[in-house]
């Protein structure tokens, strides 16, 4: 029998209290946070959908692993376990542990970046772009055109446009392209999956032009689910086998273990090339820690080794993807414009279409984020002109391609009733859709401004 109810394939052993705030309290909290939910305290939030990163609930097996963690400075058994888990999964011989994904990005991109260098991706995640631009290099996003039409259905909207890739190689010269980075799933492009065929074509182009091909693999298990269910020829492979085939196409990977390794902290860089690994390892030891722990405790590494196994459990992945789709379909039914089909780790609402009368330089995405907090205590993140906007020489905003709001779903944390509550909050939001004004930015730092920017209501 095919049950409709998506049951969470786990029982709950420990619970964490949620403090239920009132709308009056939230109004004060929001003002004190300068209308930037990143500046809220977590106990002021009812449902926290800010990120799926580092917010997973660990399993009893992982907690057992935590007790087993070997905290030796060098050659800890927990490190050897993590190293083997990464090697078995990726096939890459050289593994460098880091405290999170962006540290791995820093190790690699600071070595291969620099002025005059070019990086090409389906879409660079914000820390990826920042790490690249910080070296003086150029980061170019080449998602397929379907990606910028939120309501247009396409099975692999995260794909990289290979025709444009070839044009850009021609334009910049292959010797100047430091790497092509395929982010699976494509987080900033709506959490959309990348097909195996697209990855294979990108690999071939890179190979033919002698360009390094790197996977940003932090959600590769979720990406494998989509390949198995949407791409002909993969029905009979396991999710893990699909991921392994994808790793086999590339020269290395960056991974934030805070996503599909189901842990609260950790990451790694894994490479095929010994020379490059040695160069990165030097930076690792200077900035993160010794090469057998990076920035990690032994117990973290133990939990990563276990998480990298657990994430490929078919029951888990089915529940994961289906529960994201469940929320997406509820919002769609309410008439909320969302990125469709739903991605793996998050639902992305299209705030620009939701609030057509709010000018883009008043940040419709930020309006939606603030309203969801006011109405339901939901915290989520703007992925639009606050995060990616730039200014022209006259100081006018150059808006991002889209103004999305991301409802990122922590792994194994919330139940179906929590998602029903989120949908109910959206039903309220729909009633107050006629907003005409938004916010102005009162303070912003030069890089990654969305984290600390302060806003004023207009
Ligand atoms: N790459 C991708 C695709 C990511 O989504 C992230 C983090 C990183 C790299 C950096 O990893 O946080 O461990 O340093 N994404 C989080 C998010 C922050 O909310 O999407 P990190």
């Amino acid at each position: 029998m095919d049950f409709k109810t998506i049951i969470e394939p786990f029982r709950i052993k420990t619970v964490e209290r949620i403090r239920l705030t009132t709308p009056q309290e939230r109004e004060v909290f929001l003002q004190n946070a300068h209308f930037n939910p990143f500046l809220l305290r977590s106990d002021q939030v009812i449902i926290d959908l800010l990120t799926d990163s580092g917010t997973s609930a660990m399993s009893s097996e992982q907690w057992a692993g935590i007790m087993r963690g070997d905290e030796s400075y060098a050659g800890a058994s927990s490190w050897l376990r993590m190293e083997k888990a990464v090697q078995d999964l990726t096939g890459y011989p050289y593994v460098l542990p880091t405290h999170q994904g962006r540290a791995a990005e820093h190790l690699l991109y600071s070595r291969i970046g620099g002025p005059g260098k070019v990086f090409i991706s389906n879409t660079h995640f914000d820390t990826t772009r920042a790490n690249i631009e910080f070296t003086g290099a150029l980061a170019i996003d080449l998602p397929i055109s379907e990606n910028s039409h939120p309501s247009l259905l396409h099975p692999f909207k995260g794909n990289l446009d290979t025709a444009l890739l070839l044009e850009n190689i021609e334009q910049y010269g292959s010797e100047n392209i430091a790497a092509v980075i395929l982010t699976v799933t494509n987080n900033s492009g709506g959490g959309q999956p990348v097909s195996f065929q697209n990855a294979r074509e990108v690999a071939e182009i890179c190979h033919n032009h002698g360009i390094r091909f790197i996977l940003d693999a932090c959600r590769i298990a979720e990406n494998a689910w989509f390949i198995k269910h949407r791409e002909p020829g993969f029905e009979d492979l396991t999710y893990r086998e699909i991921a392994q085939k994808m790793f086999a196409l590339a020269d290395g990977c960056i991974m934030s273990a805070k996503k599909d390794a189901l842990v609260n902290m950790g990451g790694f860089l894994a490479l095929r090339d010994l020379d490059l690994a040695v160069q990165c390892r030097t930076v690792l030891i200077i900035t993160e820690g010794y090469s057998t722990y990076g920035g990690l405790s032994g117990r973290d590494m133990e939990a990563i080794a276990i998480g990298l196994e657990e994430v490929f459990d078919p029951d888990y992945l089915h529940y994961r993807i289906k529960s994201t789709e469940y929320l997406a379909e509820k919002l769609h039914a309410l008439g909320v414009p969302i990125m469709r089909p739903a991605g793996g780790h998050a639902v992305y609402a299209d705030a620009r279409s939701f609030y057509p009368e709010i000018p883009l330089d008043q940040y419709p995405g930020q309006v939606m984020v603030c309203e969801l907090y006011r109405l339901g205590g939901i915290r989520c993140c703007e992925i639009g002109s606050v995060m990616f906007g730039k200014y022209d020489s006259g100081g006018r905003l150059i808006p991002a391609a889209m103004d999305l709001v991301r409802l990122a779903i922590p792994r194994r944390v919330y139940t179906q009733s929590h998602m029903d509550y989120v949908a109910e909050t959206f039903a309220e939001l729909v009633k107050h859709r006629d907003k005409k004004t938004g916010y102005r930015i009162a303070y912003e730092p030069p890089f990654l401004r969305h984290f600390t920017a302060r806003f004023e209501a207009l």
Side-chain angles (χ1 to χ4, degrees), residues 51 100-102 105 125 127 183 187 216 219 256 259 406:
T51 179
Q100 61 181 88
R102 70 197 69 182
E105 290 173 341
F125 182 66
T127 61
T183 309
N187 185 9
D216 181 333
R219 298 184 182 86
S256 167
K259 283 83 167 172
R406 184 182 74 167

Side-chain angles (χ1 to χ4, degrees), residues 116-120 138-140 142 164-178 211:
K117 291 289 178 193
V118 178
F119 290 79
I120 297 174
L138 183 65
I140 300 175
L142 301 179
L164 285 179
L165 174 61
L166 285 165
E167 275 177 32
N168 276 264
I169 293 172
E170 185 81 10
Q171 182 182 343
Y172 291 100
S174 52
E175 67 284 5
N176 297 316
I177 299 181
I211 298 170

Side-chain angles (χ1 to χ4, degrees), residues 229-359:
H229 296 277
R230 290 187 186 166
E231 194 165 350
F234 292 86
E235 303 82 359
D236 298 330
L237 296 184
T238 65
Y239 298 117
R240 193 179 155 84
E241 285 164 348
I242 293 171
Q244 284 169 325
K245 280 172 82 75
M246 206 170 224
F247 282 118
L249 296 171
D251 299 306
C253 74
I254 299 267
M255 173 128 183
S256 167
K258 300 169 72 172
K259 283 83 167 172
D260 273 354
L262 300 169
V263 295
N264 305 118
M265 193 52 71
F268 56 85
L269 167 65
L271 295 168
R272 277 192 209 287
D273 179 47
L274 174 62
D275 256 9
L276 185 59
V278 169
Q279 291 175 41
C280 294
R281 195 167 284 149
T282 306
V283 189
L284 173 73
I285 296 172
I286 295 170
T287 60
E288 284 277 298
Y290 184 61
S291 57
T292 66
Y293 71 86
L296 297 170
S297 304
R299 51 182 172 268
D300 295 330
M301 298 192 284
E302 196 76 34
I304 290 171
I306 297 165
L308 283 176
E309 294 278 330
E310 286 183 354
V311 75
F312 289 104
D313 169 14
D315 293 337
Y316 161 75
L317 271 180
H318 180 76
Y319 138 82
R320 171 71 177 158
I321 305 297
K322 285 289 169 188
S323 54
T324 304
E325 184 186 286
Y326 174 81
L327 177 62
E329 289 310 310
K330 283 211 151 191
L331 301 194
H332 180 62
L334 285 169
V336 177
I338 58 165
M339 183 77 137
R340 293 183 80 223
H345 69 295
V347 177
Y348 292 70
D350 179 0
R352 194 179 286 182
S353 321
F354 189 79
Y355 294 121
E357 292 180 70
I358 300 179

